[in-house]
């Protein structure tokens, strides 16, 4: 369901590879949602959330370094969007996640899917131009 497509390519190898990894993490969450034989998914959800936090920080740092190196004019807007993404992940209430596991994964997937696609298509692709 979640995969890196050619239409998401920015033409910047490192950024494209890192975007592909973000789609892989989203796919892991999707596969967890579909896993009907795991009753308690809390630990797996927390692992995915933590990986997402760590990897997005790593990726955003690289992306921002690249933007700075080319004097990208919309870098400030990108930084704000990156901070908002991280804040959204930080604000997740893990007690609520534990109580409402399936819904939490669905909400995470909706947020992640929408954000990744919109951010890449509307913002990140502009970096490569």
């Amino acid at each position: 369901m979640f995969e890196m497509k050619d239409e998401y390519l920015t033409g910047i190898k490192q950024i494209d590879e890192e975007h592909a990894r973000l789609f892989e993490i989203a796919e892991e969450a999707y596969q967890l949602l579909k896993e009907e034989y795991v009753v308690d998914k809390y630990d797996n959800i927390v692992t995915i959330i933590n990986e997402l936090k760590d990897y997005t920080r790593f990726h955003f740092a690289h992306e921002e370094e690249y933007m700075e190196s080319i004097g990208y004019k919309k870098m400030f807007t990108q930084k704000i969007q990156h901070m908002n993404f991280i804040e959204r992940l930080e604000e997740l209430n893990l007690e609520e996640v534990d109580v409402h596991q399936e819904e939490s994964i669905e909400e995470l997937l909706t947020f992640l899917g929408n954000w990744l696609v919109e951010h890449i298509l509307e913002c990140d692709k502009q970096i490569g131009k």
Side-chain angles (χ1 to χ4, degrees):
M1 169 127 188
F2 289 88
E3 65 179 299
M4 182 70 172
K5 298 177 182 174
D6 287 345
E7 66 192 272
Y8 305 146
L9 295 174
T10 64
I12 305 160
K13 185 177 188 235
Q14 180 179 9
I15 290 175
D16 290 336
E17 289 172 354
E18 291 174 6
H19 286 164
R21 179 64 191 129
L22 291 171
F23 278 100
E24 289 170 6
I25 296 169
E27 180 62 22
E28 290 170 20
Y30 177 73
Q31 292 304 322
L32 178 61
L33 178 65
K34 296 300 175 193
E35 180 59 60
E36 56 190 62
Y37 298 110
V38 177
V39 177
D40 187 355
K41 299 177 181 181
Y42 177 75
D43 291 340
N44 295 2
I45 298 168
V46 170
T47 298
I48 289 169
I49 290 170
N50 288 333
E51 183 177 8
L52 195 54
K53 286 180 191 178
D54 292 343
Y55 198 80
T56 52
R57 283 187 181 102
F58 168 82
H59 166 63
F60 292 159
H62 284 161
E63 200 170 84
E64 290 169 12
E65 285 172 17
Y66 180 81
M67 288 186 287
E68 191 170 327
S69 77
I70 64 168
Y72 186 64
K73 294 185 185 335
K74 296 180 182 178
M75 185 171 152
F76 182 71
T77 302
Q78 284 267 32
K79 280 186 153 191
I80 290 173
Q81 290 179 0
H82 293 168
M83 285 186 330
N84 289 340
F85 182 92
I86 296 291
E87 284 176 14
R88 175 82 197 297
L89 293 177
E90 292 292 342
E91 291 171 354
L92 289 173
N93 180 332
L94 295 182
E95 289 177 15
E96 285 294 314
V97 168
D98 194 17
V99 174
H100 305 287
Q101 294 180 16
E102 298 292 317
E103 294 89 351
S104 295
I105 299 172
E106 289 172 356
E107 288 173 15
L108 179 63
L109 287 170
T110 299
F111 164 68
L112 196 53
N114 291 340
W115 197 91
L116 275 174
V117 170
E118 288 176 22
H119 184 76
I120 290 171
L121 291 176
E122 295 175 12
C123 299
D124 289 349
K125 285 194 69 135
Q126 299 297 315
I127 301 168
K129 291 185 177 183

